[in-house]
Amino acid sequence: MAIVNLTPDSFSDGGAHASAAAAIQHCEALVAHGADILDLGAESTRPGSPAVPLHQELERLLPVLREVLRLGVPVSIDTYKPDVMRAALDLGADIVNDIWALRQPGALAVVAQHPACGVCLMHMHRDPQTMQTAPMQGDVLPQVRSFLAERAQALRALQVDGSRIVLDPGIGFGKTVAQNFRLLAHQRDVAEEGYPLLAGWSRKSSLGAVTDIGEAAERMVPSVAAALLAVDRGAAILRVHDVRETVAALAVRQAVLVAERQDHNKEKTA
């Protein structure tokens, strides 16, 4: 899943693709680099970011969405506003990716009313304005797991099929550095809820904290490393900025797995 920021204040790319023309060109490049899903976001959710008015989010999003839908890959919309979800899904978007896990009034109903869409439910402690000023307390793992299970059940209660649901532990959203890495180390525990997992480690500040790389745009290598660790711990979707590099790393991993299977098959037939 390739990250496409349509905002002037993203933590990672500083509004490099904030114009519609630049964003569309960037999406074309990401697909060429191997992106399987494009995730369009028209409101920054970096720590401390202000909320964006509905009309402004729609003005940023819809012109790009109309063009990107022609590229032949699923399109995800990173939003928590039910009106944005509805407008995007009515245009043909495939997935809702919600940092609030459909807790805004009306959001559950929008997803339930669009029976073909997928949905990603993310765990966030507090809100983007305050989440890192007062991070979570205690053992993060059972809290995140129980929250995500409850939000998935809220959708299932509206007859939304479980095959449409993906869970995201919410790396960096109201957690300490240690808590983020605990979630990665024990990611398979969250996967035991029975839904595919999305891992969103790309360029996060926790990677900077353990590598002393201050600039987000320079965290490609640790981002790819975290992505591979997440896949090895059960992640089904990787939400990344650096598509080409992540795809290359996954190809190396796949080559090793193929070699291991070949050796295993030889041992079985020996």
Side-chain angles (χ1 to χ4, degrees):
M1 176 186 276
I3 299 167
V4 184
N5 292 312
L6 308 179
T7 61
D9 55 349
S10 166
F11 87 96
S12 61
D13 52 28
H17 313 114
S19 75
I24 293 164
Q25 186 176 28
H26 183 51
C27 288
E28 292 170 346
L30 291 169
V31 172
H33 294 164
D36 298 301
I37 304 169
L38 295 170
D39 188 45
L40 309 184
E43 176 176 338
S44 177
T45 54
R46 76 187 193 286
S49 59
V52 170
L54 172 63
H55 72 89
Q56 189 173 38
E57 186 173 351
L58 289 171
E59 287 170 1
R60 292 173 177 175
L61 173 66
L62 297 186
V64 178
L65 175 60
R66 290 188 182 98
E67 295 301 318
V68 168
L69 286 170
R70 302 173 184 174
L71 297 181
V73 298
V75 179
S76 169
I77 306 301
D78 180 0
T79 187
Y80 60 87
K81 295 185 179 75
D83 288 338
V84 176
M85 297 176 191
R86 184 180 294 106
L89 292 171
D90 287 347
L91 270 180
D94 303 280
I95 302 164
V96 168
N97 181 16
D98 184 6
I99 64 170
W100 281 89
L102 305 181
R103 285 180 287 156
Q104 297 294 326
L108 282 166
V110 171
V111 170
Q113 292 161 6
H114 290 79
C117 78
V119 59
C120 181
L121 305 172
M122 195 194 80
H123 176 276
M124 176 174 61
H125 176 64
R126 299 172 69 94
D127 55 56
Q129 290 75 40
T130 63
M131 61 189 180
Q132 290 307 116
T133 60
M136 294 177 69
Q137 300 290 318
D139 188 349
V140 68
L141 193 61
Q143 296 180 67
V144 168
R145 181 172 174 176
S146 64
F147 171 86
L148 292 174
E150 184 275 326
R151 297 312 299 160
Q153 185 53 43
L155 265 180
R156 299 295 295 273
L158 295 177
Q159 308 307 311
V160 173
D161 192 86
S163 64
R164 296 169 55 190
I165 300 172
V166 171
L167 304 182
D168 178 356
I171 300 303
F173 284 80
K175 289 111 178 160
T176 65
V177 173
Q179 287 172 336
N180 287 325
F181 282 103
R182 176 164 172 74
L183 284 170
L184 178 55
H186 297 278
Q187 188 179 266
R188 288 193 182 279
D189 291 357
V190 183
E192 289 178 1
E193 293 301 327
Y195 302 97
L197 295 185
L198 181 150
W201 276 90
S202 188
R203 303 185 184 179
K204 291 291 176 73
S205 61
S206 288
L207 299 175
V210 299
T211 60
D212 292 326
I213 300 175
E215 293 295 325
E218 297 178 3
R219 296 177 190 149
M220 180 271 290
V221 170
S223 295
V224 172
L228 291 180
L229 290 167
V231 170
D232 284 339
R233 286 157 179 79
I237 302 173
L238 299 173
R239 185 175 182 272
V240 305
H241 298 87
D242 303 295
V243 170
R244 179 162 45 193
E245 293 83 358
T246 307
V247 168
L250 289 170
V252 174
R253 177 182 180 275
Q254 181 62 24
V256 173
L257 293 177
V258 169
E260 288 179 340
R261 282 197 295 270
Q262 290 173 340
D263 289 344
H264 180 68
N265 290 336
K266 288 178 182 177
E267 291 173 0
K268 288 175 63 177
T269 57

